Amino acid sequence: MPVRVALGYLLFVVYGSLVPLDMQPLAPGEAWRQFVDMRFLALGAESRADWIANGVLYLPLGLLVALALRRALHGVPGALLAWLFCAAVAVAVEFAQLYFPPRTVSQNDLLAEGLGSALGVACAPWASAWSERLLIAVRRRATDLAPRLIEVYALALLGFSFFPYDVVLSGQELSLKLNSDTWGWLWAPAHASRVLAALKWLAEVALVMPLGLWWAWRRKPSAGLALGGGLLLGALIEAGQFFILSGVSEGASVLSRGLGVLIGSTWLVGFTQGGTAALRSTLLRLVPWLAAPYLLLLLLANGWLRSPWQGADAARGVWSELRLLPFYYHYFTSEAAALFSLASVTLMYLPLAAWAWAGQWRPGRAAWLAAALALGVEASKLFLAGMRPDPTNVLIAAAACGLPLLIAQGIGPVMDGRSAAASPTALADGHRSAPRWLGWAMAAAAMAWSLTFPALAWAVLAVLGACAALVAWRPASALLLVLLALPIFDLAPWTGRLWVDEFDLLLLVCCAVAWARSPAAAPAARASLAAWPLLWVATALGIGTARALWPWPGPAGLADPLSPFVALHIVKGGLWAWLFARLVNRLRDSGAAVSTWIGAGMVGALAATVAVVLWERIAFTALFDFSADYRVTG
């Protein structure tokens, strides 16, 4: 296995070093003369990242070759032979680049590649010992497997965070960094698009969630400790990136790491306690609800709402200039930008791998699904002004979905054996929903928000407090209170609140407290078919809202009741309906008399509405005077 992996990576190194494969004829004697005369270039700070990236490219090659040779040749002889092989590859590749301009050949590249190979060879003993422990975990102790994999993931994440390692080396470079747009107390000015900055922030949250999960397995930290540890991790990473010339450092990323570790150590850990079978079941149940947001984020990240659409003539022009050679466009950018693009595309399509794993798909089938989706996304860029499709993204998407499943196939029987040993009771107990403290925190936040009302603030707070107390005593009473308040709890003429009103706060308090006070039921084996119509309704709401708010009307539109922001009222209604339906299902599963409480709430709401109608007729016209033009609002 190490031999095949080493050969595969060797082919990647050779191919990537010769792209764009534009071979030019050159006499062998002239090529040898140019190769012998190559010089050591005086590189500035702006070229340091590319120089270091050459060494990083050869580090895995030295590691893999050394591991492949360890069975036949141990110790110093094996390490020396591995380094000589990598050095020979570097020399051969640099010589071949003379035939593929505009590639640059220099002694700097050979030095970086030699140092990278040596570092990889030096890491081989540690990697070999770790791989042996991993194999033992796979064969004997399945409980140790996931932590071992997360340890490697953590090292890879830290390595990626500081790439390309072009460290600030002088006071002049530090001054240059201070005056650049690659750092900010909250957001770095280098982010031309706030949309992409927000997507990057969400990705950072997701990337550190496994670290919180690993911490919960090892030490079970409190929520405060997990948040503090995540913030400390984020501060260390961002401080390190500040001293990387090409790094982007911003305060928002500190918050994203803190939130990611907190979520991983509290919410994510619950999905792993029932074993593989329970985790697969949970993922399948979540697919209908997450598919629409995932597709919207995927299209958003690929420019659907950031670039104007263009016609077929412009699309044909883009197609005529498109190069289909894999990794062609990665050559015409820096190594740091190329790696960031590779990582970004991989993250875009990794959710498909999780879905395929939950559904127990074959790796080939999952890879074809990801490739088809990526092909559609890249083809749409033909019609987006300023965008260019990259055929390489189709290959990256297929690899991002197929390779994890290939790895999972190798370790799957062990993990499935572990989950098979778990009893149905253990699976039910292992299922966790949102932590209970989150419900109480949301209820407290809603009640605190009511104090910002310009009128009747204390009255609204009193109503919310009474509702919270009643729901804490009888969680099912939330159904009665929400339905009862729906037609009559409207104080907008006095408070003037349009976007978040008193009914929103009441519904949030009732649902949050009821959620915290009711037990979670075991997950169903498969997602309900009823979830799919709701999924498409959510998709329609998302598309409609995006069309209404694009182009962005600006914050001034919040003060206009007829602005495009009115679309948020419709989305808010859909969100509240979904939240209420989830609460109904949760209370039903816990054994509450849901129909009785809903019926009482609807009858009470009808009676209250009739009472308001009678009061309004008496106040503004005669009770039985139906000849007047006045009509009641009820």
Side-chain angles (χ1 to χ4, degrees):
M1 184 66 177
V3 175
R4 286 181 290 177
V5 176
L7 288 175
Y9 189 77
L10 174 61
L11 291 176
F12 172 76
V13 169
V14 174
Y15 175 83
S17 299
L18 301 181
V19 170
L21 300 183
D22 186 15
M23 185 175 181
Q24 301 294 329
L26 187 65
E30 177 63 19
W32 179 252
R33 186 191 64 80
Q34 293 184 17
F35 184 74
V36 172
D37 292 341
M38 67 177 175
R39 300 179 178 180
F40 192 88
L41 304 178
L43 300 178
E46 66 280 356
S47 302
R48 189 181 304 151
D50 293 342
W51 180 78
I52 295 176
N54 284 326
V56 174
L57 180 67
Y58 275 76
L59 189 151
L61 181 63
L63 174 64
L64 293 172
V65 172
L67 290 177
L69 293 177
R70 281 184 68 84
R71 291 185 178 180
L73 200 58
H74 294 278
V76 176
L80 181 60
L81 181 60
W83 183 83
L84 290 175
F85 175 82
C86 295
V89 170
V91 171
V93 168
E94 290 296 316
F95 182 79
Q97 285 181 341
L98 293 171
Y99 293 87
F100 294 91
R103 287 287 183 174
T104 302
V105 179
S106 68
Q107 295 180 18
N108 308 69
D109 294 342
L110 284 175
L111 176 61
E113 291 156 1
L115 292 175
S117 300
L119 185 59
V121 172
C123 292
W126 172 84
S128 178
W130 178 88
S131 62
E132 290 176 1
R133 291 196 298 269
L134 179 62
L135 288 176
I136 293 174
V138 170
R139 295 168 181 167
R140 301 178 185 177
R141 297 192 299 271
T143 54
D144 292 341
L145 179 58
R148 295 289 182 211
L149 295 177
I150 294 182
E151 289 171 2
V152 177
Y153 171 80
L155 290 177
L157 181 61
L158 288 176
F160 175 77
S161 298
F162 298 115
F163 186 84
Y165 316 115
D166 48 338
V167 181
V168 172
L169 297 178
S170 66
Q172 182 180 2
E173 292 178 358
L174 180 60
S175 176
L176 182 66
K177 180 72 175 185
L178 287 171
N179 295 322
S180 69
D181 61 351
T182 57
W183 73 279
W185 293 110
L186 184 61
W187 299 104
H191 291 303
S193 171
R194 291 302 181 194
V195 174
L196 291 181
L199 291 175
K200 173 180 175 287
W201 191 86
L202 291 175
E204 289 171 345
V205 173
L207 284 174
V208 298
M209 285 170 57
L211 305 187
L213 177 62
W214 177 85
W215 195 6
W217 283 342
R218 293 293 188 183
R219 293 289 185 270
K220 297 182 180 179
S222 63
L225 183 59
L227 177 61
L231 293 175
L232 178 61
L233 173 66
L236 292 175
I237 291 177
E238 294 307 306
Q241 287 183 341
F242 180 82
F243 292 97
I244 300 294
L245 280 175
S246 57
V248 178
S249 179
E250 48 194 9
S253 295
V254 177
L255 301 177
S256 67
R257 270 87 179 214
L259 183 60
V261 172
L262 175 62
I263 295 175
S265 63
T266 55
W267 178 70
L268 188 62
V269 70
F271 291 120
T272 66
Q273 294 180 357
T276 308
L279 183 57
R280 281 196 171 105
S281 175
T282 302
L283 289 175
L284 287 176
R285 292 193 313 117
L286 290 176
V287 165
W289 305 106
L290 298 181
Y294 165 70
L295 290 176
L296 288 175
L297 289 175
L298 178 65
L299 298 178
L300 183 64
N302 284 276
W304 272 45
L305 298 182
R306 294 181 289 112
S307 302
W309 291 83
Q310 56 189 11
D313 292 337
R316 280 192 291 268
V318 175
W319 173 258
S320 64
E321 300 176 357
L322 187 65
R323 297 293 296 268
L324 301 179
L325 185 68
F327 296 99
Y328 175 83
Y329 295 105
H330 289 72
Y331 168 72
F332 295 98
T333 185
S334 65
E335 276 78 359
L339 181 63
F340 180 79
S341 173
L342 176 65
S344 299
V345 177
T346 301
L347 287 176
M348 288 179 193
Y349 296 98
L350 267 183
L352 295 179
W355 179 25
W357 175 80
Q360 297 182 330
W361 289 18
R362 294 179 180 273
R365 180 185 177 189
W368 279 111
L369 171 66
L373 180 59
L375 181 62
V377 170
E378 296 302 316
S380 70
K381 294 180 182 178
L382 293 170
F383 301 92
L384 292 171
M387 302 294 292
R388 182 191 63 239
D390 190 350
T392 308
N393 291 344
V394 179
L395 301 178
I396 296 174
C401 203
L403 289 179
L405 292 183
L406 281 175
I407 297 174
Q409 269 190 347
I411 62 177
V414 176
M415 300 304 291
D416 289 339
R418 173 194 172 191
S419 61
S423 64
T425 304
L427 295 181
D429 293 340
H431 174 66
R432 295 290 186 270
S433 59
R436 298 181 185 275
W437 63 263
L438 183 60
W440 292 110
M442 294 175 65
M447 288 189 283
W449 183 263
S450 67
L451 294 177
T452 66
F453 278 34
L456 303 175
W458 290 102
V460 174
L461 180 60
V463 172
L464 297 181
C467 290
L470 181 59
V471 175
W473 175 53
R474 287 289 180 86
S477 64
L479 307 178
L480 182 148
L481 293 173
V482 170
L483 294 175
L484 182 62
L486 177 60
I488 61 173
F489 193 45
D490 181 12
L491 305 178
W494 296 274
T495 63
R497 292 303 174 99
L498 297 176
W499 305 108
V500 179
D501 58 21
E502 54 283 342
F503 177 74
D504 297 330
L505 298 181
L506 183 142
L507 189 146
L508 182 58
V509 166
C510 290
C511 289
V513 175
W515 194 277
R517 291 284 295 139
S518 57
R526 289 189 177 272
S528 171
L529 293 178
W532 287 101
L534 296 179
L535 166 64
W536 300 120
V537 170
T539 304
L541 284 175
I543 294 174
T545 304
R547 291 189 59 186
L549 298 180
W550 188 262
W552 181 250
L558 291 172
D560 183 5
L562 300 180
S563 73
F565 282 109
V566 175
L568 297 178
H569 281 295
I570 303 175
V571 175
K572 182 177 69 173
L575 177 63
W576 286 148
W578 173 81
L579 183 63
F580 188 76
R582 293 280 295 175
L583 178 62
V584 169
N585 290 336
R586 184 181 179 93
L587 293 173
R588 179 188 292 115
D589 293 339
S590 65
V594 169
S595 299
T596 301
W597 287 99
I598 290 180
M602 295 179 67
V603 171
L606 178 61
T609 304
V610 171
V612 171
V613 168
L614 294 177
W615 169 82
E616 192 175 352
R617 290 197 61 82
I618 293 173
F620 294 97
T621 184
L623 181 60
F624 298 105
D625 182 8
F626 298 105
S627 61
D629 293 335
Y630 180 79
R631 293 294 180 269
V632 295
T633 57

